[in-house]
């Protein structure tokens, strides 16, 4: 069994190079499909998803790639992040992806389960953010927003994005990171020894005494992908320029981040 984990791609029309990199990655996942394979997207797949009725041209290759995985019998699982919490049933139906809840477990062979999350729920030191998060995750708030015209939603998302940019420049770096004890609590609650999340844009494999925490990188100058195979979990990266320049970019061009 081979499982791929990606997070924080932030796909949008502003980064067609990232969209191309995603399409190339999917092509490679299909080409090397020699055993049961799954793809896990741990949130913030899009830079800002404003509703499933938003159907921009740039999203077509992305949807096609996801559909092609389903056709190739590679299940896709996706989780909401803080920028794409409006991904809904229509999008899931169109892509044939399955929605994962906040704390999902993946059962690797002969191992305790692995805890999956986006990661923002662990940033509890940022009290202001947690209340914002609670608000935008309310079904009533989401219904109100989804009833607005697309143009207004686009503007709202842009405004919130700018609010966040000016706020985060005031916030200390540690406030914006996860609170380790929150993670330990969730690991204990689910009897896991390993977790994978994104969100913080601080890619790393933290090896603690009793557990491991793999933090996926965000897609920007490099793309990041973690692979779980034969009970081994490893994060890889590739630089986006080399991906977009090469005609035949292959998974073998991925570079190990840490062991
Ligand atoms: C994070 C905070 C913004 C605090 C909005 C659709 C919708 C995406 C969005 C884009 C911006 C959140 C989600 C962010 C934290 C803020 C503002 C205040 C207190 C929509 C898709 F609904 F409006 F249509 N946004 N982001 N804030 O940059 O992550 O922490 S954000
Ligand atoms: Mn995030």
């Amino acid at each position: 069994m081979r499982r791929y984990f990606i997070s924080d791609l932030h796909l949008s029309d502003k980064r067609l190079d990232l969209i191309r990199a995603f399409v190339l990655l999917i092509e490679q996942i299909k080409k090397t499909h020699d055993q049961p394979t799954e793809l896990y997207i741990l949130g913030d797949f899009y830079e800002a998803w404003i509703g499933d009725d938003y159907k921009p041209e740039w999203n077509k290759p992305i949807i096609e790639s996801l559909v092609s995985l389903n056709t190739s019998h590679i299940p896709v699982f996706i989780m909401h992040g803080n920028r794409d919490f409006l991904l809904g049933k229509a999008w899931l139906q169109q892509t044939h992806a399955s929605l994962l809840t906040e704390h999902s477990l993946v059962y690797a062979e002969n191992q305790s389960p692995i805890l999956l999350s986006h990661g923002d729920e662990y940033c509890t030191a940022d009290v202001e953010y947690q209340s914002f998060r609670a608000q935008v995750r309310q079904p009533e708030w989401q219904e109100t927003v989804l009833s607005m015209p697309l143009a207004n939603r686009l503007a709202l998302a842009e405004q919130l994005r700018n609010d966040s940019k000016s706020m985060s420049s005031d916030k200390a770096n540690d406030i914006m990171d996860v609170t380790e004890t929150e993670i330990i609590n969730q690991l204990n609650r689910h009897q896991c020894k390993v977790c994978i999340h994104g969100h913080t844009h601080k890619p790393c494999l933290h090896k603690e005494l009793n557990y491991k925490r793999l933090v996926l990188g965000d897609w920007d100058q490099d793309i990041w992908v973690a692979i779980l195979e034969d009970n081994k979990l490893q994060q890889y990266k590739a630089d986006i320029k080399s991906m977009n320049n090469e005609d035949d970019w292959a998974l073998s061009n991925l570079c190990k981040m840490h062991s």
Side-chain angles (χ1 to χ4, degrees):
M1 185 88 196
R2 185 180 289 139
R3 294 176 174 100
Y4 295 89
F5 301 88
I6 53 177
S7 178
D8 302 275
L9 286 72
H10 298 167
L11 301 181
S12 80
D13 56 345
K14 292 194 182 66
R15 291 294 302 269
L16 298 179
D17 58 336
L18 292 181
I19 295 178
R20 187 170 136 78
F22 175 71
V23 171
L24 285 174
L25 176 67
I26 300 308
E27 286 309 309
Q28 286 304 310
I29 289 177
K30 286 187 291 183
K31 247 181 213 161
T32 52
H33 181 201
D34 55 4
Q35 58 176 302
T37 300
E38 295 173 341
L39 172 66
Y40 291 80
I41 305 170
L42 303 187
D44 285 358
F45 183 54
Y46 291 108
E47 172 68 12
W49 191 252
I50 56 167
D52 295 352
D53 53 336
Y54 179 53
K55 295 187 163 72
E57 199 63 29
W58 59 264
N59 195 33
K60 288 191 177 146
I62 300 170
I63 301 287
E64 270 170 33
S65 282
L66 292 169
V67 170
S68 77
L69 284 174
N70 178 69
T71 311
S72 306
H73 307 286
I74 300 174
V76 178
F77 301 93
I78 188 163
M79 188 177 281
H80 286 138
N82 52 301
R83 294 148 179 276
D84 53 10
F85 49 78
L86 290 179
L87 277 174
K89 290 206 176 79
W91 187 90
L92 293 166
Q93 232 156 46
Q94 199 189 359
T95 55
H96 305 283
S98 308
L99 187 66
L100 294 178
T101 51
E102 204 146 275
H103 299 116
S104 288
L105 304 183
V106 21
Y107 294 88
E109 300 93 339
N110 317 316
Q111 228 180 248
S112 63
I114 297 176
L115 177 65
L116 306 179
S117 32
H118 177 54
D120 61 331
E121 65 269 46
Y122 301 131
C123 299
T124 51
D126 194 343
V127 176
E128 212 179 4
Y129 173 71
Q130 290 303 323
S131 95
F132 170 79
R133 181 180 194 273
Q135 181 188 12
V136 301
R137 294 234 172 190
Q138 277 169 10
E140 301 79 30
W141 188 90
Q142 297 193 354
E143 273 164 39
T144 308
V145 168
L146 289 172
S147 71
M148 291 164 41
L150 274 171
N152 299 35
R153 276 180 264 162
L154 265 178
L156 177 60
E158 168 102 19
Q159 189 204 319
L160 290 171
R161 182 79 206 101
N162 289 334
D163 291 354
S164 149
K165 269 186 200 150
S166 56
M167 288 168 75
S168 52
S169 58
D170 300 338
K171 283 176 185 164
N173 211 30
D174 59 332
I175 285 191
M176 313 257 293
D177 204 351
V178 298
T179 298
E180 202 72 36
T181 52
E182 293 293 335
I183 293 185
I184 295 170
N185 285 344
Q186 290 301 330
L187 284 167
N188 288 338
R189 201 160 79 83
H190 293 99
Q191 304 195 324
C192 295
K193 291 190 175 73
V194 181
C195 68
I196 306 177
H197 69 81
H199 182 66
T200 60
H201 302 185
K202 298 177 194 338
C204 193
L205 178 64
H206 299 273
K207 288 184 183 168
E208 309 297 339
L209 273 179
N210 300 314
Y211 67 95
K212 280 190 214 161
R213 174 164 73 91
L214 188 144
V215 186
L216 290 164
D218 59 305
W219 287 29
D220 189 4
Q221 299 316 312
D222 293 313
I223 71 143
W224 301 82
V225 48
I227 304 177
L228 174 66
E229 190 177 332
D230 305 328
N231 285 327
K232 279 200 269 290
L233 180 61
Q234 170 82 53
Q235 183 160 207
Y236 300 85
K237 66 172 176 170
D239 111 83
I240 196 124
K241 282 205 201 90
S242 76
M243 271 182 102
N244 280 283
N245 287 342
E246 255 158 275
D247 302 321
D248 54 347
W249 183 82
L251 273 180
S252 56
N253 294 332
L254 284 172
C255 177
K256 270 190 192 182
M257 184 199 174
H258 37 50
S259 51

